[in-house]
Amino acid sequence: MPESFEDLYYEQLISDGVIAAKAGNRIQARLLLERATAYNRPDSRPWIWLSETTDDLAEKRKYMECAVAADPFNTAARRGMVMLSEQLDRKRLVKEGEGVPPRRPPARPRR
């Protein structure tokens, strides 16, 4: 089933906002990404990228909180919140995209 015009427009807003943010054009990125958040709030992507449009830590935190609220399972949003909260030493962070093997439960003593 093809995407609707609205879905394509929304994805283009995010794509253009990300491109502008990566190019260092923060004003254009902010305008595009804010438009995307007004259009479809339950998506964490524009909120995460909005955090890259400012140097103000309180504002970055607000954007990351919105990203986590939109998608509590988004690892980039959660990682950003941890980094902003200074709850974890940056040297201990796992590189994005790398997995961590699950812990095995302790062995039960045999009877």
Side-chain angles (χ1 to χ4, degrees):
M1 185 164 120
E3 293 185 39
S4 69
F5 173 77
E6 291 82 13
D7 291 339
L8 292 172
Y9 176 70
Y10 175 73
E11 290 300 325
Q12 192 64 52
L13 283 174
I14 293 174
S15 177
D16 290 347
V18 169
I19 290 168
K22 286 181 176 182
N25 189 342
R26 290 178 162 191
I27 294 170
Q28 182 181 7
R30 183 182 289 245
L31 291 172
L32 292 164
L33 294 166
E34 283 178 346
R35 189 176 301 156
T37 63
Y39 191 80
N40 186 355
R41 289 194 180 267
D43 187 351
S44 61
R45 294 175 299 159
W47 294 111
I48 292 169
W49 280 99
L50 271 167
S51 73
E52 295 299 316
T53 65
T54 183
D55 291 324
D56 182 284
L57 292 179
E59 196 171 19
K60 281 181 178 285
R61 183 174 179 83
K62 177 186 82 169
Y63 290 140
M64 281 300 177
E65 286 173 350
C66 290
V68 171
D71 182 1
F73 300 104
N74 184 302
T75 55
R78 293 175 63 121
R79 185 174 193 262
M81 279 297 299
V82 168
M83 289 172 62
L84 286 171
S85 299
E86 298 179 358
Q87 294 177 355
L88 186 63
D89 182 0
R90 289 179 186 246
K91 291 180 245 170
R92 295 183 58 206
L93 287 175
V94 174
K95 291 182 183 176
E96 194 166 342
E98 288 185 8
V100 177
R103 289 186 178 175
R104 293 185 179 190
R108 291 187 175 178
R110 294 186 184 211
R111 292 184 180 196

